[in-house]
Amino acid sequence: MARNVEFNQEEAVRKAMEVFWKKGYNGASMRDLTDAMQINPSSLYNTIGDKRQLFIRCIHDYTQGRIQAVKKHAANFKSPLKALVSIINESVNSILYASNSCLAIKTTFELAVTDKDVQAILKNESDLTYDFFLSLVRRALEEKEIDPATDAEMMADYIVNSFTGWHESYILHQDAARIKKMAKYLITQISR
């Protein structure tokens, strides 16, 4: 009789996420994943499912973790403008110094066009991120920290889309000064 292999699913999923992050969905083999997770394929199939189900769980966990992290970071600031500036600077640091670029952005270009479930997860994260930045911009307007003529919706969109563009730019050009200059420009636009 086969024995059930017990393992820490959360830890195993985190290890699989690292593989997907490095190799992408299509580049990651089942062997890559089960080796990293330190489980056999039958344990994966019996608990989480196939490669796609594992990926869906990974990208869901990743996007939820990002939203929680940015909200937690912003909570450290009384000023919504200071929170925005700090988040922008943290994004720059992540782009320039993290070992992997954004998993959500990589996944958008690899799978979101063809996989509706992945697209839905990424759209949800994008919507939540937009709503969060919109709330910060509106608070900054209420507290008269930014120009009262600022279109809050446009500014929130501008911030979110800037992050995506910076990731792409850095992947292609590896130009840290360029990313820092764009961030400084964004902060100037917000702070007018």
Side-chain angles (χ1 to χ4, degrees), residues 79-86 88-89 137 140 144-148 150 155 158-159 183-192:
S79 159
L81 178 59
K82 287 182 180 177
L84 284 166
V85 169
S86 182
I88 291 166
N89 288 325
V137 171
K144 300 182 184 353
E145 292 186 319
I146 60 177
D147 183 348
T150 299
M155 184 57 73
Y158 186 54
I159 294 167
K184 185 175 179 181
Y185 180 78
L186 176 58
I187 290 168
T188 302
Q189 295 303 304
I190 295 170
S191 303
R192 285 194 210 188

Side-chain angles (χ1 to χ4, degrees), residues 13 21 34 48 50 60 72-73 78 83 85 98 101 139 174:
V13 168
W21 212 333
T34 55
I48 297 170
D50 62 13
H60 177 267
K72 184 177 179 182
H73 182 85
K78 218 173 184 180
V85 169
S101 67
R139 278 188 41 223
Q174 298 293 304

Side-chain angles (χ1 to χ4, degrees), residues 66-77 79-80 82-88 124-140 152 155-157 159-160 163:
R66 279 185 8 139
I67 293 291
Q68 291 169 3
V70 77
K71 286 181 177 180
K72 184 177 179 182
H73 182 85
N76 293 319
F77 299 89
S79 159
K82 287 182 180 177
L84 284 166
V85 169
S86 182
I87 292 167
I88 291 166
N124 182 60
E125 186 217 13
S126 178
D127 292 346
L128 291 172
T129 302
Y130 169 82
D131 290 344
F132 176 71
F133 281 114
L134 180 59
S135 71
L136 283 177
V137 171
R138 283 181 173 156
R139 278 188 41 223
M155 184 57 73
D157 235 353
I159 294 167
V160 171
F163 294 163

Side-chain angles (χ1 to χ4, degrees), residues 10 16 28 33 35 50 58 75 87 93 99 105 112 127 132 135 137 144 150 164 172-174 180 182:
E10 199 170 297
L33 294 164
D35 285 353
D50 62 13
C58 287
I87 292 167
N93 287 335
S99 58
I105 292 171
D127 292 346
F132 176 71
S135 71
V137 171
K144 300 182 184 353
T150 299
T164 304
L172 296 175
H173 303 285
Q174 298 293 304
K180 290 176 182 178
M182 287 188 280

Side-chain angles (χ1 to χ4, degrees), residues 28-48:
S29 70
M30 281 301 287
R31 183 175 184 107
D32 293 333
L33 294 164
T34 55
D35 285 353
M37 297 167 76
Q38 300 175 329
I39 61 172
N40 61 49
S42 63
S43 294
L44 175 62
Y45 288 115
N46 290 333
T47 56
I48 297 170

